[in-house]
Amino acid sequence: MIFRSEINESFGPTPEQMQGNIQHWMDWMGGIAAQGKMASGNRLSFEGKILKPNNVIADGPYAEVKEIIGGYIVVKAINIDEAMTLAEGCPILSHGGNVEVRSIVAVNS
Amino acid sequence: MNEKELIAQLFKTEYRKIISVLCKLFGIVHIEIAEDITNDTFLLASETWGLKGIPENPTAWLYTVAKNKTKDYFKQHKTFSEKIVFDIKQNQNLSEEVEVDLSHKNITDSQLQMIFTICNPIIPAEAQIGLALRILCGFGIDEIAEAFLTNKETINKRLFRAKEKLRTENIKIELPTENDVNSRLETVLTTLYLLFNEGYHSSTQKTHLRKELCLEAMRLNYFLIENKTTNKPIVNALMALMCFHASRFEARTNQIGEPILYDQQDKNLWNEELIAKGNFYLIQSASGNELSKYHLEANIAYWHSSKLENPKKWDNILQAYNQLLLIEYSPITALNRTYALAQVKGKQTAIIEAEKLNIADNHYYFSLLGYLYTDIDDAKAIWYFEMAQQKAKTDNDKSLLNKKLDDLKKKNNS
């Protein structure tokens, strides 16, 4: 699952909001982990750089896109439909973002 | 204290020291000779002290006898001694005679090395616990059999196979290298954690034995804290966890050994000293970057050991369970997390998540759903409690569920 949201220039939550937000994420991921269906995941920092052809380097991961990827998790699901069910209730949905659900291609297929 | 009590006590404290030093000297290949000499030493003590009285310094007496018995053994077994003396001289450049070094430093070093030798991932966890109980805690085979709810023969076989494995793999009695310490320590901590749980959750009715298992796990853990090499945050986290759990020992069973649930425990029976120790080790564990499952479990146990009602309690417990599940899934953690969720977000929310869990082979799962449906849909609650009762294995669990069913049915009939 890849979490995307629109860039919000005025995004500046209070520490309490940040804390509450982290709890929402933890509760949601905890729910998936409680079903034994969590494989791994990472939250991505806002800092980053982009390397383009001819050694052109741009600052920020969101130079020319509307949406940025905030993080991803890998879940264990039999098919896309099951993974879509797991995605329900993801906190990003209440912040105008979306969850992109993709299946991982096995190495030798 | 009469000589029998004294010997029993010394057996608990000195057996592991003597056997560790001898094993270290002979090599793991000859662990059985080390066991024999140590056992003979204690046998002689019980024979002699009964007749002639307790010596002035009993510990020194034991050490002298162990030393002499080792010398005798070398004299009587030429080939063995040539081989061993040769090996020892090669390793340590010793002079003519092999001396058993029972100095404080060598005792401590040998014991620490023995812990790492026994808690070696090449032997199965059950056998590690058995060997630890036998060698490091001086437990009898019958006591170990009782703790594992099996017979002496099974335990003897298990220990024999484990020793054989250590022998054939020629495991060196030594400390892991600086690079390996953390990963090897993890195996050691797992064994101590299992040993503690064996005592804490064991279904044997012998409360005294169960307590002994927990205390031994704590003693060994404390030994790791006392040593600079192994005094890591994660070791302190496990110690904190054990202290918090152990603090409820007196409160969690009644006089005939039946369990008393957390909610119904007399909090005055909780051991304040152990709770304070738990707090101390929890603070000690809070350094470095690692947040281990022991840290999280200790954190949960901390909140459960607090007598004051704190509005943040269940929030914190739920977050710790979330993190715990992200590190390592287990059905019991999933059930506990759902219980915590019910405390924070209400039973309705928890029911939705509980029904997704799919742990249908576990009676605690049905028991949890029974609890969640109580007062929301009592008919369903009764159905779930009845399912739980069918799946429950021990009499204690069955009778607890019986009581819940009775209460619910009474409530709904009145």
Side-chain angles (χ1 to χ4, degrees):
Chain A
M1 292 179 195
I2 302 154
F3 310 119
R4 295 176 195 273
S5 55
E6 279 186 28
I7 304 154
N8 185 349
E9 295 291 348
S10 60
F11 185 69
T14 64
E16 287 77 26
Q17 282 171 328
M18 282 288 277
Q19 189 57 36
N21 197 20
I22 290 172
Q23 280 198 15
H24 288 142
W25 277 94
M26 285 304 292
D27 287 343
W28 176 69
M29 289 196 291
I32 297 174
Q35 299 172 55
K37 289 176 181 165
M38 182 66 88
S40 65
N42 275 306
R43 200 169 125 201
L44 302 179
S45 145
F46 283 103
E47 280 164 39
K49 291 188 175 198
I50 296 174
L51 180 63
K52 296 179 183 177
N54 302 321
N55 214 21
V56 176
I57 296 169
D59 276 338
Y62 36 84
E64 284 147 23
V65 288
K66 258 185 83 190
E67 287 183 332
I68 71 158
I69 298 174
Y72 67 89
I73 60 171
V74 180
V75 298
K76 298 176 208 164
I78 297 166
N79 50 35
I80 289 272
D81 288 344
E82 191 191 351
M84 286 299 282
T85 316
L86 291 176
E88 282 169 17
C90 175
I92 206 149
L93 301 172
S94 41
H95 300 294
N98 61 65
V99 184
E100 183 177 327
V101 179
R102 305 273 292 269
S103 57
I104 290 176
V105 180
V107 179
N108 52 2
S109 69
Chain B
M1 194 185 300
N2 67 27
E3 94 274 348
K4 279 213 179 91
E5 286 163 355
L6 179 66
I7 288 177
Q9 196 200 350
L10 286 171
F11 200 81
K12 288 264 178 258
T13 57
E14 303 306 316
Y15 182 89
R16 69 182 97 185
K17 296 181 185 169
I18 298 175
I19 199 167
S20 297
V21 166
L22 293 180
C23 265
K24 170 74 187 156
L25 185 68
F26 302 159
I28 198 74
V29 192
H30 303 294
I31 183 171
E32 261 139 20
I33 300 170
E35 280 185 278
D36 284 346
I37 293 176
T38 317
N39 288 334
D40 283 353
T41 302
F42 278 95
L43 191 65
L44 189 68
S46 59
E47 283 168 8
T48 321
W49 298 3
L51 291 170
K52 296 186 185 165
I54 298 167
E56 205 170 304
N57 186 339
T59 309
W61 189 98
L62 289 171
Y63 290 179
T64 310
V65 171
K67 282 181 191 177
N68 290 337
K69 284 198 176 289
T70 308
K71 275 183 201 163
D72 289 348
Y73 192 89
F74 278 127
K75 275 182 206 148
Q76 286 157 13
H77 300 81
K78 266 266 148 51
T79 33
F80 169 75
S81 69
E82 272 160 21
K83 168 95 180 67
I84 290 293
V85 172
F86 179 75
D87 286 352
I88 293 168
K89 279 187 185 159
Q90 289 250 306
N91 290 333
Q92 302 179 356
N93 288 324
L94 287 185
S95 54
E96 286 309 297
E97 193 144 304
V98 172
E99 193 55 48
V100 181
D101 177 7
L102 282 156
S103 64
H104 177 71
K105 182 174 186 315
N106 194 43
I107 287 177
T108 312
D109 292 350
S110 306
Q111 274 192 95
L112 191 57
Q113 293 170 9
M114 265 319 260
I115 293 180
F116 278 99
T117 308
I118 287 172
C119 301
N120 190 311
I122 65 159
I123 51 177
E126 263 186 347
Q128 288 180 35
I129 300 173
L131 266 192
L133 284 173
R134 183 81 189 114
I135 310 275
L136 299 171
C137 313
F139 269 52
I141 298 292
D142 48 344
E143 283 175 305
I144 303 175
E146 171 69 36
F148 280 108
L149 288 182
T150 176
N151 54 36
K152 286 184 357 185
E153 207 174 298
T154 311
I155 295 298
N156 268 324
K157 270 191 206 149
R158 189 181 295 167
L159 297 191
F160 179 79
R161 258 183 256 130
K163 284 188 257 184
E164 199 59 33
K165 184 79 182 159
L166 291 176
R167 207 178 289 146
T168 50
E169 300 277 329
N170 198 14
I171 298 301
K172 296 255 180 321
I173 302 177
E174 60 189 9
L175 281 187
T177 58
E178 194 66 36
N179 283 338
D180 285 350
V181 157
N182 285 333
S183 70
R184 288 294 306 281
L185 201 52
E186 239 170 72
T187 315
V188 174
L189 295 183
T190 306
T191 306
L192 298 190
Y193 179 75
L194 291 173
L195 175 58
F196 187 89
N197 281 345
E198 196 62 45
Y200 209 69
H201 301 293
S202 155
S203 19
T204 168
Q205 298 288 340
K206 296 194 176 159
T207 340
H208 178 73
L209 176 65
R210 299 175 49 166
K211 217 188 218 166
E212 272 299 307
L213 292 178
C214 292
L215 290 178
E216 286 300 337
M218 291 171 81
R219 256 173 232 153
L220 291 173
N221 197 341
Y222 186 67
F223 187 76
L224 296 176
I225 288 177
E226 276 185 317
N227 276 279
K228 236 173 61 194
T229 335
T230 47
N231 187 14
K232 307 266 179 187
I234 190 173
V235 178
N236 285 275
L238 179 58
M239 191 67 181
L241 168 63
M242 290 184 187
C243 288
F244 287 133
H245 280 319
S247 73
R248 289 194 287 280
F249 249 132
E250 301 306 324
R252 62 197 286 272
T253 45
N254 64 16
Q255 273 151 343
I256 51 167
E258 287 169 348
I260 302 175
L261 293 183
Y262 177 82
D263 291 340
Q264 284 137 29
Q265 286 172 8
D266 176 0
K267 291 183 182 176
N268 293 319
L269 292 176
W270 291 0
N271 186 320
E272 294 289 347
E273 199 189 326
L274 280 169
I275 294 175
K277 277 192 179 160
N279 289 334
F280 173 81
Y281 289 115
L282 192 60
I283 293 166
Q284 298 298 308
S285 76
S287 60
N289 298 323
E290 191 187 14
L291 188 65
S292 67
K293 65 170 187 166
Y294 304 122
H295 283 93
L296 293 165
E297 284 190 41
N299 187 8
I300 294 165
Y302 160 81
W303 285 102
H304 282 310
S305 304
S306 165
K307 289 182 183 175
L308 300 169
E309 276 309 316
N310 184 320
K312 288 268 157 218
K313 171 179 165 176
W314 284 106
D315 270 332
N316 281 292
I317 292 178
L318 174 61
Q319 290 313 318
Y321 274 125
N322 282 337
Q323 283 177 291
L324 200 54
L325 280 165
L326 291 172
I327 294 179
E328 186 181 83
Y329 168 81
S330 93
I332 288 293
T333 316
L335 293 172
N336 283 331
R337 183 234 174 221
T338 312
Y339 182 85
L341 188 72
Q343 310 308 311
V344 178
K345 302 208 168 165
K347 284 180 167 183
Q348 296 282 14
T349 311
I351 286 173
I352 298 170
E353 299 234 344
E355 285 175 344
K356 291 182 195 164
L357 292 183
N358 221 349
I359 318 176
D361 53 345
N362 191 318
H363 84 264
Y364 291 113
Y365 172 70
F366 294 100
S367 194
L368 173 70
L369 275 164
Y371 160 78
L372 293 175
Y373 272 114
T374 303
D375 299 331
I376 287 182
D377 183 340
D378 280 345
K380 269 194 170 167
I382 290 173
W383 187 82
Y384 277 116
F385 278 130
E386 278 170 351
M387 283 294 285
Q389 208 182 23
Q390 279 175 29
K391 305 231 172 215
K393 290 194 182 79
T394 66
D395 291 343
N396 278 335
D397 287 338
K398 279 188 212 282
S399 72
L400 278 174
L401 287 163
N402 236 344
K403 212 183 150 296
K404 283 196 177 143
L405 276 169
D406 278 352
D407 290 350
L408 259 181
K409 284 175 183 164
K410 243 180 246 161
K411 188 185 105 188
N412 282 280
N413 285 337
S414 60

